[in-house]
Amino acid sequence: RFIVRSLDHLSLRIVAHSSEGIFLVPIPGSKRAIKTRGEDVICRVVERVVESSIGNVSSRPILTWSRDVMDQSSLSMRERARNLSGALIVDDSLVVKSMKAPMRQQLVVVDDVLTSGATMAAAISAISHSSLGRSSLLAGITACYSVNPLFA
């Protein structure tokens, strides 16, 4: 709930500065992560944000994996970037079905954690090289929660 409330609050702040609203783009979990967790956690969190939002916030998972990738936990930053290079793509058929005005809505990419930034970079690259283009991107955020606060 904390993550949903936090993302919802952030979404409302962004919507306040956007005449067209925002479109949350969850980075899909890997097949392995979905099998382990029983669901695609970030897609579910984003769905809950959209359901609870009172602002002009929408979403659909328009990113998809074009191939399997290795588990990133033991990879260096360079290896992570190589592992994910070209692995995420935008499914243009989903873009047309899900976005009200694809060229005007601002996109906010959502991931579950930011370690090296390789997954976020791969998602941003996929969007930049799609029909949506780089100008549609507004931000990339992580929806994670830690019981150990960074700042006391």
Side-chain angles (χ1 to χ4, degrees):
R1 285 199 242 270
F2 172 78
I3 293 172
V4 172
R5 284 194 315 266
S6 297
L7 275 175
D8 189 40
H9 177 72
L10 177 63
S11 298
L12 289 174
R13 293 190 70 174
I14 294 170
V15 166
H17 300 285
S18 171
S19 60
E20 296 296 329
I22 63 168
F23 191 85
L24 299 177
V25 179
I27 295 178
S30 67
K31 291 176 189 173
R32 183 175 40 263
I34 293 170
K35 184 177 179 182
T36 301
R37 297 173 182 159
E39 67 176 332
D40 192 330
V41 175
I42 288 302
C43 285
R44 184 66 188 124
V45 166
V46 167
E47 287 171 10
R48 289 181 181 157
V49 170
V50 171
E51 290 167 3
S52 67
S53 180
I54 57 171
N56 189 4
V57 179
S58 57
S59 176
R60 179 164 288 182
I62 61 172
L63 289 170
T64 187
W65 294 103
S66 63
R67 59 179 169 78
D68 289 335
V69 295
M70 296 179 354
D71 181 354
Q72 304 250 102
S73 61
S74 64
L75 301 179
S76 69
M77 286 180 63
R78 185 172 286 136
E79 290 168 331
R80 288 174 188 224
R82 219 179 359 252
N83 183 38
L84 293 173
S85 180
L88 279 171
I89 58 172
V90 172
D91 184 333
D92 283 322
S93 67
L94 292 176
V95 171
V96 171
K97 291 177 189 173
S98 59
M99 297 180 77
K100 298 172 191 164
M103 297 307 174
R104 291 195 306 249
Q105 277 191 296
Q106 295 186 301
L107 307 182
V108 176
V109 180
V110 184
D111 199 5
D112 61 345
V113 67
L114 185 66
T115 306
S116 68
T119 308
M120 186 67 72
I124 289 170
S125 177
I127 292 168
S128 297
H129 292 96
S130 75
S131 60
L132 296 168
R134 182 176 281 285
S135 62
S136 64
L137 287 163
L138 177 65
I141 60 174
T142 56
C144 57
Y145 174 78
S146 174
V147 293
N148 301 314
L150 294 174
F151 305 102

